[in-house]
Amino acid sequence: MSRDLELEKQIDAYVKGKLSDEEAQKLWEKLLQRPDYIDLLKTELGVKSILEKRSSEGYSNSAHENKNIIYSIKDSWKWIAAAAAVILLVVSLNIFHLDTTTSLQSEVPAQFSLADNLSSAEVFRNQKGETTPSDSLLNNGFQAALSGNISKAIDTYDEIIDKYEDKPAATKAYLNKGIIQYNSGNFGTSIRSFKAVIDRKTNRKTLEEKAYWYMGNAYVNLEQLEKAREAIHTVYSMDGIYRKPSFRLLRKLDYKLGNVDYDNFEEQMKEGQ
């Protein structure tokens, strides 16, 4: 990887205490993109610390002695481990300063796009070539919701659940109903609908993943953060379509709950990018 002379100048200025808080924060953002330069910063901070200590104790170092100090620092795994912990702590505080300037609730959608999130019927046909009744109703509910007739959509989904409880369409009806309830601000009610999807133990893992994702967001809105974290962690573990957004939300929840793992923070941040 090529050298970044401007970044090296900023590191030098940071070590010498010449950067403002805003400039220092921007430096850390750049360092996350160039982790190779974190080693340089650790070394320079260590050199500065040792030289200042020796100076305060009345030592006068020659250039040769200073060079030996640098090599000693680079070869000391104990120092590197200690410095790494400090560096990662500073990085985490700077990053989370950006993430926590607003409430956690502002990090989750106030509403989900119905067109993008509601489930419609797949092309399942019986031997006569006709759409099954349950799937036909599911499509009717989808069309009603998109046209703004929310009450009709809910009634249609309830009809599916009542008449076709054992059909795949009922699972989607629960999911769609939960999304509409979420969008209406009825987060507690939406959670019950999402749990119904999960309890059905569908073979369609995407539907289950969606249910956990929406449910986790609903718990955030209710400020039930432990339950939110449990749901979002499940989403992340499923390694599906919501893996990246679930990672970001999971880290923010961990911060709010005091669960941040500083030792693995840098690796976690890279993985979530």
Side-chain angles (χ1 to χ4, degrees), residues 10-16 27-28 31 35-48 79 83 87 90-91:
Q10 290 178 315
I11 289 174
D12 182 65
Y14 178 80
V15 171
K16 293 176 180 177
L27 170 62
W28 282 111
L31 285 172
D36 50 316
Y37 272 102
I38 293 180
D39 289 332
L40 172 63
L41 177 59
K42 289 189 293 186
T43 300
E44 293 203 10
L45 286 173
V47 171
K48 180 175 182 288
W79 183 89
I87 295 298
V90 174
V91 172

Side-chain angles (χ1 to χ4, degrees), residues 119-179:
S119 296
S120 57
E122 297 180 24
V123 184
F124 290 122
R125 296 181 179 277
N126 59 25
Q127 293 179 348
K128 296 181 180 179
E130 299 174 351
T131 303
T132 62
S134 60
D135 283 345
S136 179
L137 280 174
L138 191 63
N139 283 335
N140 289 343
F142 182 82
Q143 293 169 4
L146 293 190
S147 66
N149 195 340
I150 300 302
S151 61
K152 180 180 178 181
I154 290 292
D155 288 343
T156 303
Y157 294 138
D158 282 339
E159 183 179 355
I160 295 172
I161 293 168
D162 182 54
K163 292 182 176 179
Y164 306 102
E165 175 66 24
D166 59 336
K167 302 294 184 182
T171 304
K172 292 184 177 181
Y174 276 119
L175 186 69
N176 290 353
K177 187 176 177 181
I179 293 171

Side-chain angles (χ1 to χ4, degrees), residues 25-144:
Q25 184 167 297
K26 290 181 179 179
L27 170 62
W28 282 111
E29 293 173 12
K30 291 181 180 179
L31 285 172
L32 285 177
Q33 305 299 322
R34 289 295 302 267
D36 50 316
Y37 272 102
I38 293 180
D39 289 332
L40 172 63
L41 177 59
K42 289 189 293 186
T43 300
E44 293 203 10
L45 286 173
V47 171
K48 180 175 182 288
S49 176
I50 291 178
L51 293 181
E52 286 178 348
K53 181 178 179 182
R54 291 175 70 90
S55 176
S56 67
E57 294 174 351
Y59 286 91
S60 178
N61 299 315
S62 65
H64 177 71
E65 289 174 325
N66 289 344
K67 187 175 182 180
N68 286 339
I69 290 173
I70 294 175
Y71 282 118
S72 175
I73 289 173
K74 287 182 177 179
D75 293 337
S76 174
W77 68 266
K78 291 183 179 180
W79 183 89
I80 290 176
V86 174
I87 295 298
L88 294 179
L89 175 60
V90 174
V91 172
S92 65
L93 291 177
N94 278 275
I95 292 298
F96 279 126
H97 173 74
L98 294 176
D99 287 343
T100 58
T101 53
T102 56
S103 67
L104 185 59
Q105 282 72 24
S106 68
E107 301 293 341
V108 299
Q111 292 188 331
F112 290 103
S113 166
L114 296 182
D116 295 333
N117 291 275
L118 291 185
S119 296
S120 57
E122 297 180 24
V123 184
F124 290 122
R125 296 181 179 277
N126 59 25
Q127 293 179 348
K128 296 181 180 179
E130 299 174 351
T131 303
T132 62
S134 60
D135 283 345
S136 179
L137 280 174
L138 191 63
N139 283 335
N140 289 343
F142 182 82
Q143 293 169 4

Side-chain angles (χ1 to χ4, degrees), residues 150-208:
I150 300 302
S151 61
K152 180 180 178 181
I154 290 292
D155 288 343
T156 303
Y157 294 138
D158 282 339
E159 183 179 355
I160 295 172
I161 293 168
D162 182 54
K163 292 182 176 179
Y164 306 102
E165 175 66 24
D166 59 336
K167 302 294 184 182
T171 304
K172 292 184 177 181
Y174 276 119
L175 186 69
N176 290 353
K177 187 176 177 181
I179 293 171
I180 291 174
Q181 291 164 336
Y182 179 106
N183 285 0
S184 300
N186 298 321
F187 302 116
T189 305
S190 74
I191 288 171
R192 289 195 290 272
S193 295
F194 298 137
K195 283 184 175 180
V197 175
I198 296 166
D199 291 343
R200 289 173 65 83
K201 301 186 183 302
T202 175
N203 292 326
R204 300 293 303 279
K205 290 301 178 184
T206 300
L207 294 180
E208 185 178 352

